[in-house]
Amino acid sequence: MATVDDLKFQEFDDAANLLAGNPDATTISIDEPSENPKNQYGLLQDSRREEDDELLGTDDSDKTELLAGQKKSAPFWTFEYYQTFFDVDTYQVLDRIKGSVFPIPGKNFVRLYIRSNPDLYGPFWICATLVFAIAISGNLSNFFIHLGKPAYRYVPEFRKVSIAATAIYAYAWLVPLALWGFLMWRNSKVMNIVSYSFLEIVCVYGYSLFIYIPTAILWIIPQKAVRWILVMVSLCLSGSVLVMTFWPAVRDDNRRIALATMVTVVLLHALLAIGCLAYFFDAPDLHVLIPTAAAPNGTIVATKTQ
Amino acid sequence: MAEAEESRAGGVFAGLSDVSISEDIPVEGEITVPVGSHSPDEDYSTLDEPVKDTIMRDLKAVGKKFVHVMYPKKSSALLRDWDLWGPLVLCVSLALMLQGGSADSKEDGGPQFAEVFVIIWFGAVVITLNSKLLGGTISFFQSLCVLGYCVLPLTVAMLVCRLVLLASSGTVSFIVRLVVVMAMFGWSTLASTAFLADSQPPNRKALVVYPIFLFYFIISWMILTFTPQ
């Protein structure tokens, strides 16, 4: 039977004193979990990690990734799950757009601006604006090029909107899917330090299309040289953002595969721009041929080269 | 004997034991519980009213909302009693007026009836989903209602454009049409923003207003580029 004294609350001594009194007792110690992984990497990797931290833009990227993993916990059939992809404020969207247009050398777009909070607002509405910008600018540019001719009747060309929409949305969703699949496959073969989620890649591609909106509006100017200069400038700016984003993800791989990936990314980006320019905007030097021909021939020439 | 015992035991009720109601007096009267509100009666009575009253009530509600759109003040009447009759009428009339602008070839003409219809309704649904995903507190159909009703200035612009095009189709008429369409586009955007922007968190207002701006811009573009046969 326990006495009253046994049931009274007792203060426990310090661990050292208790162990001194009873040396054979078993002890359990709990260490900090974050210290151990860092000790496992050799000195060789340390310099690489410092470089990555610089490029990543922050030293606590592990922590932010952990927090991001806890954020999206709603099941995918509820509305709240999709609300987590629209969790951005106005200034964040503007910052991301600015970061996609003016690439800062040495800074990674994903780590600097997205920081494990990829949004779908930017990609979706930038693509929608680009679709209509290209369709409307193409229509306006054709109108101005053919303005003085007697055989020309203005048509709104509304069908081209659906073609533009298909092309741009396919580029903005299928190319990131292919790139993500490719990076995942390479990740299983070669251990990469930097890896991106599918939504982060979609985000980068969506924001990198922003530069084409002012480019499309400036393509109304019917000078071939001006149009090609615009293509080069916009390709350099957004292509460099893409290259600086994806280079750390393929750098550890085989040299040739890394270079081939980068070249493919830039090439597809260029193909989109040149394809839109060729399909939606007529060549501006058409009017040189028309005045030399008679009116019936003029109409034939106009419809043939369109 | 039994009666004497009963009267001694129930002292309080002693006087009542000899009160009785004889069975040949009929008991009359109503036993009703007064109801506080008359609403069940009023609801049932709309079945008996003439059809003209029913239609006029709906028409008056739609007309009141048109007036609210033309003079956008911050009233909650448009939001509270939403209906989709007005947007349907506006959308159908706008799509009908955009017909007849076909070109020589079928492919490169203006938008077909189905395309206008789909653009307006699909665009309104996408904008509503966008504002809800960004954390807005407005309900789905209220937002559809507001966006649909604010197409009214653009429908008026389309009417004006068709009338101007009947008169002439030169540069002067183009400038007149441009001014009218731009003014109505601004009116539509301001009206819908006045109703919808309050239901958003303040640091995301611009993110919600921009798609509305794009939506009305596209409809204005379709109106401006309408060229008759």
Side-chain angles (χ1 to χ4, degrees):
Chain A
M1 196 113 113
T3 62
V4 179
D5 282 337
D6 283 338
L7 298 173
K8 249 200 312 209
F9 181 73
Q10 294 173 346
E11 290 286 343
F12 283 104
D13 282 341
D14 200 13
N17 295 341
L18 282 177
L19 207 55
N22 196 357
D24 291 330
T26 53
T27 58
I28 303 172
S29 66
I30 300 173
D31 283 336
E32 288 293 317
S34 59
E35 290 171 4
N36 292 330
K38 288 204 178 111
N39 293 335
Q40 287 170 10
Y41 282 98
L43 273 172
L44 263 167
Q45 302 278 356
D46 276 355
S47 59
R48 190 58 93 63
R49 284 183 67 79
E50 278 169 15
E51 201 181 72
D52 266 345
D53 280 348
E54 261 175 24
L55 208 59
L56 296 178
T58 171
D59 285 332
D60 54 348
S61 56
D62 292 338
K63 230 192 296 177
T64 53
E65 277 181 18
L66 206 62
L67 287 174
Q70 293 168 358
K71 189 172 60 157
K72 301 182 189 1
S73 57
F76 70 91
W77 56 83
T78 58
F79 193 69
E80 283 73 25
Y81 177 74
Y82 299 101
Q83 264 184 328
T84 57
F85 301 136
F86 281 77
D87 195 15
V88 278
D89 293 334
T90 309
Y91 75 92
Q92 281 176 319
V93 171
L94 291 175
D95 274 344
R96 289 175 189 193
I97 290 178
K98 206 167 43 139
S100 76
V101 175
F102 303 118
I104 306 173
K107 290 285 188 205
N108 186 329
F109 178 77
V110 173
R111 291 305 170 202
L112 193 57
Y113 290 105
I114 299 193
R115 280 183 189 274
S116 304
N117 183 21
D119 70 306
L120 288 179
Y121 177 89
F124 182 77
W125 287 109
I126 290 177
C127 287
T129 311
L130 185 61
V131 164
F132 288 106
I134 286 186
I136 291 177
S137 302
N139 203 236
L140 269 180
S141 147
N142 291 351
F143 173 70
F144 284 130
I145 287 176
H146 301 292
L147 188 50
K149 306 192 191 74
Y152 176 72
R153 257 197 79 247
Y154 170 74
V155 287
E157 290 178 330
F158 202 72
R159 289 278 180 271
K160 292 199 170 172
V161 171
S162 40
I163 297 173
T166 313
I168 289 171
Y169 273 102
Y171 176 80
W173 284 88
L174 292 183
V175 171
L177 186 65
L179 188 61
W180 175 74
F182 176 75
L183 287 178
M184 285 293 118
W185 174 59
R186 294 311 298 173
N187 244 354
S188 66
K189 302 232 167 149
V190 176
M191 186 61 212
N192 281 325
I193 301 199
V194 178
S195 70
Y196 299 120
S197 71
F198 171 60
L199 280 170
E200 285 172 349
I201 301 182
V202 166
C203 217
V204 171
Y205 263 90
Y207 280 104
S208 73
L209 285 177
F210 176 80
I211 187 90
Y212 288 140
I213 296 177
T215 309
I217 296 176
L218 286 175
W219 273 341
I220 296 180
I221 302 171
Q223 298 293 328
K224 219 170 186 163
V226 169
R227 287 181 177 177
W228 280 100
I229 292 176
L230 284 170
V231 168
M232 286 297 125
V233 166
S234 58
L235 191 62
C236 284
L237 284 177
S238 59
S240 62
V241 169
L242 286 176
V243 163
M244 281 197 294
T245 304
F246 290 112
W247 180 246
V250 295
R251 173 179 52 195
D252 301 325
D253 210 343
N254 188 358
R255 200 82 189 163
R256 291 202 303 190
I257 291 188
L259 277 177
T261 312
M262 288 296 111
V263 165
T264 313
V265 163
V266 174
L267 206 61
L268 283 174
H269 211 59
L271 265 180
L272 180 77
I274 298 173
C276 285
L277 179 61
Y279 185 71
F280 293 100
F281 294 81
D282 284 346
D285 52 358
L286 211 62
H287 63 278
V288 174
L289 307 166
I290 302 298
T292 59
N297 289 344
T299 49
I300 296 174
V301 172
T303 50
K304 208 168 57 175
T305 47
Q306 270 179 23
Chain B
M1 194 72 137
E3 287 180 7
E5 281 183 0
E6 279 180 14
S7 63
R8 253 183 293 142
V12 179
F13 305 111
L16 290 177
S17 63
D18 47 10
V19 173
S20 68
I21 300 174
S22 62
E23 286 169 2
D24 53 346
I25 299 178
V27 177
E28 293 181 34
E30 285 183 36
I31 305 177
T32 56
V33 178
V35 178
S37 65
H38 305 290
S39 48
D41 283 7
E42 283 181 356
D43 275 352
Y44 288 128
S45 72
T46 60
L47 279 178
D48 298 331
E49 66 180 9
V51 173
K52 187 167 80 87
D53 281 354
T54 315
I55 296 180
M56 286 311 293
R57 191 171 50 231
D58 279 338
L59 278 180
K60 278 201 195 106
V62 169
K64 207 158 61 159
K65 291 202 190 71
F66 279 162
V67 169
H68 273 297
V69 168
M70 295 313 273
Y71 301 106
K73 300 188 298 274
K74 282 211 172 44
S75 77
S76 59
L78 194 74
L79 291 180
R80 218 178 29 232
D81 313 316
W82 60 267
D83 73 272
L84 293 177
W85 282 112
L88 181 68
V89 164
L90 287 172
C91 179
V92 168
S93 57
L94 186 61
L96 280 177
M97 283 198 278
L98 276 169
Q99 296 309 295
S102 58
D104 304 325
S105 65
K106 281 271 187 259
E107 287 88 31
D108 283 347
Q112 302 297 313
F113 181 89
E115 284 169 346
V116 177
F117 212 78
V118 160
I119 282 184
I120 293 183
W121 285 103
F122 188 63
V125 165
V126 165
I127 294 175
T128 307
L129 276 180
N130 176 64
S131 81
K132 283 189 79 71
L133 282 169
L134 281 171
T137 55
I138 200 171
S139 96
F140 184 74
F141 285 108
Q142 281 174 350
S143 172
L144 276 188
C145 168
V146 169
L147 286 168
Y149 270 103
C150 289
V151 172
L152 175 67
L154 287 169
T155 311
V156 169
M158 183 73 219
L159 200 58
V160 169
C161 281
R162 282 213 88 150
L163 293 174
V164 167
L165 278 171
L166 278 180
S168 75
S169 57
T171 314
V172 172
S173 87
F174 175 73
I175 295 182
V176 168
R177 281 186 290 141
L178 180 68
V179 167
V180 166
V181 169
M182 273 175 34
M184 292 297 155
F185 160 63
W187 199 335
S188 282
T189 310
L190 284 175
S192 60
T193 310
F195 288 116
L196 288 178
D198 282 340
S199 63
Q200 296 299 321
N203 50 349
R204 296 183 184 181
K205 274 206 182 26
L207 295 184
V208 172
V209 169
Y210 172 72
I212 300 178
F213 169 88
L214 188 66
F215 176 62
Y216 288 125
F217 181 80
I218 293 165
I219 299 181
S220 315
W221 177 257
M222 288 198 294
I223 292 175
L224 191 58
T225 60
F226 171 76
T227 48
Q229 184 70 25

